[in-house]
Amino acid sequence: MEQLDLFKRLTDCNAVSGFERPMTNLMREYLEPLADDVITDNTGSIFGRKGEGRHAIMLAGHLDEIGFMVTAITGDGFIKFTNLGYWWANVMLSQKVTITGSKGDIRGVIGGKPPHVLGVKEKELAAEVSNMFIDIGVDSREEALAAGVRIGDPITPYSEFEVMTNPDYLLAKAWDNRFGCALAVEALRDNPEPNLTLYSGAVTQEETLSRGAKTAAHKVKPSLAIALDVGICAKTPGMTGNAKMGDGPIIVLVDAWHIGHPTFRQFVTDVAEKHGIKVQFDYLTGGYTDAGHIAQSFDGIPAITIGVPTRYIHSNVSMMNRHDYNGALSLVNAVLAELTDDLADQIIDQTYEGLA
């Protein structure tokens, strides 16, 4: 399995929230040769299982990416749409998209008024989705329908996977969260005989209030869980924060929905120190990961989030550092190597006091 090929195939796949079937099928292709068996829930969340421990650990990326849905077609053939996931409207104008229509993919561009015709007050206002449209290069509603566009069709940002000037820097449309999907695949490959039962895969609909994490947790029933998701990179002009690209993976302390389980976090921190893996700590009070809903399942599942700092998330492009990705993979592999059923007991009942 060549890592860059894995990255390209996962990030190029079009699968917005609620329409994850292409990613479910692609993950199945990667997971089946590595797993004892593959399980799915009714939303499309998918996990490969290895091992037969007394406890189970769940590694959960998410399959979906932010995108849009067709809501109307004007008489002149322009496409109106709504968001699937959170967007800042100012990053949307003039970006290319792909509509997955009944006759195949249709390329379009998000349009709006050119600045030459905007009044002074209009120029000062933030962009609004209600004023935007998608232009697919037709003249009428009938022509758009003939091309295969229908109300309810999913719309995906268009951006090709690219290796940047420094080959550690990788550009793609959907590191949020094909990062977690790739890591789940490689972690399953790297741990053929885990001490615990390992469920490694990804869930649906994280970008729309983390809905898939609920059903996936009930399907897997893990004792412990690690959400694998991107974090915010502070290493650009005008940004402040803790996490910087190139400085290693992130252990998330808290997000809007979840406080990282303190005992599990300490265990992961101890593992990083023991294995000489450089980590960063960050918090995300304005966002969330799947760890929150997993942690609220059953009687409470100890959960944390491991991620990588990523630039330009929740736009049509994002940038990740391969060094950070490989650091996250090394950390997850070390956690799986150190974790035993007895240590899982100590983490769950919060009697863990450190590695021997």
Side-chain angles (χ1 to χ4, degrees):
M1 187 191 306
E2 209 284 319
Q3 194 179 69
L4 286 181
D5 179 67
L6 173 67
F7 289 164
K8 177 174 172 54
R9 292 191 71 199
L10 291 176
T11 57
D12 282 353
C13 185
N14 293 333
V16 299
S17 298
F19 297 86
E20 295 94 347
R21 185 56 55 184
M23 269 299 298
T24 302
N25 293 339
L26 183 54
M27 286 291 283
R28 184 186 300 278
E29 178 184 329
Y30 282 111
L31 295 173
E32 279 187 339
L34 304 171
D36 294 337
D37 63 350
V38 173
I39 65 167
T40 61
D41 68 15
N42 292 337
T43 75
S45 300
I46 183 166
F47 292 86
R49 182 188 63 81
K50 289 289 290 186
E52 289 291 348
R54 181 163 49 85
H55 286 292
I57 183 167
M58 177 187 194
L59 302 182
H62 67 82
L63 301 166
D64 58 320
E65 60 190 299
I66 58 169
F68 313 100
M69 179 189 285
V70 175
T71 57
I73 307 171
T74 72
D76 291 329
F78 295 106
I79 312 301
K80 300 295 287 183
F81 60 91
T82 191
N83 293 356
L84 293 175
Y86 177 72
W87 285 84
W88 184 46
N90 284 28
V91 305
M92 293 164 51
L93 284 171
S94 300
Q95 301 298 337
K96 290 194 288 186
V97 298
T98 302
I99 301 172
T100 303
S102 61
K103 297 181 180 180
D105 289 347
I106 303 162
R107 190 80 69 236
V109 61
I110 297 177
K113 294 180 182 179
H116 311 70
V117 301
L118 296 176
V120 174
K121 290 187 177 179
E122 283 184 292
K123 290 179 181 179
E124 294 175 351
L125 296 173
E128 294 184 9
V129 175
S130 60
N131 295 329
M132 296 181 192
F133 52 84
I134 294 171
D135 186 345
I136 63 169
V138 298
D139 291 322
S140 67
R141 185 174 188 273
E142 290 71 26
E143 198 174 351
L145 291 171
V149 180
R150 297 291 185 271
I151 305 300
D153 283 347
I155 307 166
T156 313
Y158 175 81
S159 182
E160 296 178 355
F161 175 85
E162 295 184 71
V163 178
M164 305 301 285
T165 304
N166 178 335
D168 281 339
Y169 286 78
L170 305 173
L171 190 73
K173 70 171 172 63
W175 284 126
D176 185 6
N177 183 33
R178 307 299 157 67
F179 148 74
C181 296
L183 198 150
V185 169
E186 293 205 280
L188 191 65
R189 177 204 62 199
D190 293 347
N191 294 275
E193 297 181 358
N195 300 320
L196 279 66
T197 306
L198 171 61
Y199 289 93
S200 195
V203 307
T204 59
Q205 299 188 48
E206 189 271 353
E207 299 293 358
T208 49
L209 301 181
S210 188
R211 294 170 179 139
K214 299 178 182 179
T215 55
H218 279 260
K219 184 72 174 182
V220 171
K221 298 179 176 63
S223 305
L224 302 169
I226 300 176
L228 306 170
D229 210 338
V230 297
I232 294 172
C233 173
K235 194 178 181 180
T236 57
M239 286 288 292
T240 59
N242 298 326
K244 296 177 173 60
M245 287 176 68
D247 284 357
I250 301 167
I251 298 173
V252 178
L253 302 173
V254 59
D255 64 38
W257 288 359
H258 179 242
I259 300 169
H261 189 274
T263 314
F264 196 12
R265 175 168 54 82
Q266 186 58 55
F267 171 76
V268 173
T269 303
D270 290 346
V271 169
E273 182 176 348
K274 177 179 177 179
H275 289 260
I277 300 168
K278 185 179 179 181
V279 297
Q280 306 181 77
F281 296 92
D282 204 5
Y283 58 94
L284 189 65
T285 54
Y288 59 85
T289 76
D290 285 315
H293 279 157
I294 295 171
Q296 295 174 58
S297 299
F298 299 102
D299 294 331
I301 297 169
I304 63 164
T305 300
I306 294 175
V308 293
T310 309
R311 292 176 181 165
Y312 322 124
I313 59 174
H314 283 237
S315 73
N316 68 307
V317 295
S318 53
M319 191 181 295
M320 183 187 75
N321 187 298
R322 195 173 182 181
H323 169 77
D324 296 331
Y325 171 90
N326 285 324
L329 178 59
S330 294
L331 178 59
V332 169
N333 283 339
V335 166
L336 294 175
E338 295 285 347
L339 192 57
T340 63
D341 282 325
D342 288 344
L343 281 170
D345 286 331
Q346 295 173 30
I347 292 168
I348 293 165
D349 62 24
Q350 302 195 52
T351 59
Y352 168 79
E353 295 182 350
L355 291 173

